Amino acid sequence: MTRPHPDHRTHAGTHARRIAAVLAVLTIALTGCATNAPAPPPSAAAPPIVSEPEAGAFPVSIDHAFGTFTLDEAPERVVTIGWATEDISAALGVIPIAVPSSWAGDEDGFVPWFREAVEGSGAPLPTTLTDLSGGEIDFEQILALRPDAIIAPFSGITDTQYERLQGIAPTLAYPEKPWLLDWQDHTELVGRALGRPAQAAKLVADTQAAIAAHGAEHPEFRDATFVYSTGVGEGTTDVGFYAPTTSLIGIIQDLGLTLSPEIVAEAERFPDEIYFGISLEDIDTVHADVYLGLVNDQAEVDASLAHALFRNWQPIANDRAVWLTDREVSQAVAAPSVLSVPWVLDEFVPELADALKR
């Protein structure tokens, strides 16, 4: 799974093509369905449930962007689509039977915190959904798995795709817009769907406490501003920034930092976007104490630093940049969950503190 990058301010050009390709990996393009589904693979035959649903949790009905998700009883064969939902499901004791393959994962497609949770539960690792050309997911594979629930609240599925998924099993889409859900609401929504709302609330509280503890060790965070960026886009003269509504912004704010006021103001021009661009010529109007750069590798760092206007911008010139080039760390911070956040805090927070000292 590849993380999204901001597109050009006009939502065209190279960045736009990259975003389309990235989000396609996280979205299902489905094109038909057999009438009689084949039996599920033997490896997925045993429901991987390691906790019981809470009393009175079912039946459950949850409204979302495309309709209402309804279950009369606890699901046992769950497929997740999108980002971080598999983390939440596993943390709740419902190991999915199939999950997306993570762009930051190991050779089997699993990020370490998810693998640790599943293996620690004693349940088998799930099937990874097959990526087809163009970022499609194998529709027949999902059908063959015979899920009794498809959970996709942090994804980019379309209404047409939702209808096809709903034809396989009750499907939970996002509340209003794709990719706009903070990690707390994400956890609580999945908790309701899986019949474990109190457990989900506790996971949120425990994770918030861990974040607060790390933030308390660094009172300097309270006086610091930040931006979250993807650097200078290839073939453009824009610097990409994530909007305040994205979950990756929330986790930094939870540590005590404040998003740059200029980014907050600029984001109001693009209320339906999770990312936008600011021209290099205007970059000095954005003020921040620390720069967080979400990139694929050092080559993207070097490409950004090749631009003099970017190099001379306040946080970069002051050497207050944290470039997230490690894919696991990058994924843990970019798609925070009740599993990834505790996993990454010990590594990420010291890097952030060191940058502010420079």
Side-chain angles (χ1 to χ4, degrees), residues 210-212 214-216 218 221-222 250-257 345 348-349 352:
I211 296 169
H214 277 79
H218 297 280
F221 287 177
R222 296 289 171 186
I251 197 69
I252 310 303
Q253 292 175 321
D254 291 341
L255 285 168
L257 289 85
L345 284 175
F348 174 71
V349 172
L352 189 55

Side-chain angles (χ1 to χ4, degrees), residues 347-358:
E347 180 170 349
F348 174 71
V349 172
E351 289 187 31
L352 189 55
D354 287 346
L356 283 169
K357 291 175 185 175
R358 296 198 284 266

Side-chain angles (χ1 to χ4, degrees), residues 156-194:
I157 63 172
T158 67
D159 54 350
T160 301
Q161 294 159 355
Y162 163 75
E163 291 296 335
R164 290 168 175 164
L165 288 170
Q166 181 70 8
I168 299 175
T171 299
L172 177 64
Y174 36 84
E176 295 180 3
K177 298 176 182 178
W179 307 114
L180 289 179
L181 197 61
D182 65 36
W183 68 268
Q184 297 97 324
D185 289 343
H186 189 185
T187 304
E188 292 173 356
L189 188 60
V190 175
R192 285 181 61 201
L194 298 181

Side-chain angles (χ1 to χ4, degrees), residues 49-189:
I49 305 298
V50 294
S51 76
E52 294 299 321
E54 295 162 19
F58 291 98
V60 64
S61 293
I62 303 173
D63 292 335
H64 56 80
F66 303 128
T68 302
F69 173 82
T70 302
L71 285 175
D72 293 329
E73 57 187 11
E76 295 184 340
R77 302 181 57 78
V78 173
V79 169
T80 68
I81 294 171
W83 273 17
T85 301
E86 67 273 24
D87 292 0
I88 301 167
S89 185
L92 291 169
V94 181
I95 310 303
I97 59 169
V99 301
S101 178
S102 173
W103 72 277
D106 55 24
E107 60 184 8
D108 297 320
F110 303 120
V111 286
W113 53 90
F114 179 75
R115 177 182 282 276
E116 290 166 11
V118 176
E119 292 180 342
S121 74
L125 287 163
T127 297
T128 52
L129 296 174
T130 304
D131 288 335
L132 304 177
S133 59
E136 296 180 1
I137 295 178
D138 190 340
F139 182 75
E140 294 298 330
Q141 180 190 24
I142 296 175
L143 184 66
L145 288 166
R146 292 185 178 272
D148 48 24
I150 300 171
I151 312 296
F154 193 47
S155 72
I157 63 172
T158 67
D159 54 350
T160 301
Q161 294 159 355
Y162 163 75
E163 291 296 335
R164 290 168 175 164
L165 288 170
Q166 181 70 8
I168 299 175
T171 299
L172 177 64
Y174 36 84
E176 295 180 3
K177 298 176 182 178
W179 307 114
L180 289 179
L181 197 61
D182 65 36
W183 68 268
Q184 297 97 324
D185 289 343
H186 189 185
T187 304
E188 292 173 356
L189 188 60

Side-chain angles (χ1 to χ4, degrees), residues 3 295-302 324-325 327:
R3 65 177 155 315
V295 292
N296 283 308
D297 49 38
Q298 185 61 39
E300 291 189 5
V301 178
D302 296 341
L324 301 176
T325 55
R327 288 197 167 199

